[in-house]
Amino acid sequence: MSKCLTPEEALAFVGEHGVVLVSAKGTVPRLTEAIIGEPIKGSWWAHPRGRQIYAILGAVTESDQVLVCRLIDGKVTLVHRRLWPSLVRLAGRLAPERLTQVREEHTPSGRYVSHEVTFPQWVPAEIMKQAKKIGEKEALVALGACLPPSSPTAKRVRFKL
């Protein structure tokens, strides 16, 4: 069995890739598999290292360097802070629910409660300033393949920088 990533290494993984999925299959890497260094069959909750995965995911998602949202296919997606200006710059191309910040809280009773902060309320002022300074092409290159395909029927964020 391979060694698990530390929380710092897992955060560095998110930083290196820019955008990762927590556990769903998609066009970007999965953090749960990176944490344990091997593919996971079935639910990561049932994996023998599920508790370790949970602890490391918690540390990463609590970082002020990571946006937790549903950018890719409505699945829990982690976006590193270095890409937030590009994400903000392209907000008008995306459905609002894809840019909503999601935080999950594990209550003492064992339930999970989801807290959401809509776009652009979660965006720090310095990120807004950076977003205004970059062009759309630059933002598209930075986010590349991780952006969901455009849908002509999807509601978009009405947002002007």
Side-chain angles (χ1 to χ4, degrees):
M1 203 179 311
S2 61
K3 176 184 165 280
C4 276
L5 295 181
T6 66
E8 294 79 17
E9 291 168 334
L11 184 57
F13 179 84
V14 176
E16 176 186 341
H17 292 279
V19 178
V20 300
L21 289 162
V22 168
S23 62
K25 291 182 182 178
T27 57
V28 297
R30 292 187 236 178
L31 184 55
T32 51
E33 291 184 347
I35 289 170
I36 61 167
E38 62 187 41
I40 297 173
K41 291 183 176 30
S43 170
W44 66 265
W45 287 97
H47 191 276
R49 292 174 152 177
R51 288 183 184 269
Q52 288 175 296
I53 295 169
Y54 177 79
I56 294 166
L57 283 176
V60 171
T61 59
E62 289 299 316
S63 170
D64 64 358
Q65 298 300 302
V66 174
L67 166 66
V68 181
C69 61
R70 296 188 181 277
L71 179 64
I72 299 176
D73 296 330
K75 305 298 182 189
V76 180
T77 308
L78 308 179
V79 182
H80 193 270
R81 189 179 186 105
R82 72 178 169 82
L83 291 178
W84 294 2
S86 296
L87 194 61
V88 170
R89 178 66 179 88
L90 298 173
R93 295 172 164 247
L94 302 166
E97 63 272 9
R98 301 217 186 233
L99 296 176
T100 296
Q101 180 185 54
V102 179
R103 291 280 181 210
E104 292 186 346
E105 175 188 358
H106 191 196
T107 65
S109 68
R111 290 188 50 226
Y112 281 93
V113 178
S114 184
H115 301 281
E116 296 184 350
V117 179
T118 57
F119 177 85
Q121 282 71 36
W122 60 263
V123 182
E126 72 270 11
I127 298 296
M128 285 290 194
K129 288 178 187 173
Q130 291 172 17
K132 289 178 184 179
K133 294 177 183 177
I134 61 173
E136 191 169 331
K137 283 185 179 182
E138 183 182 347
L140 283 167
V141 168
L143 287 168
C146 67
L147 277 181
S150 294
S151 166
T153 59
K155 291 182 181 176
R156 304 278 189 255
V157 173
R158 295 205 185 267
F159 177 72
K160 183 169 172 112
L161 285 174

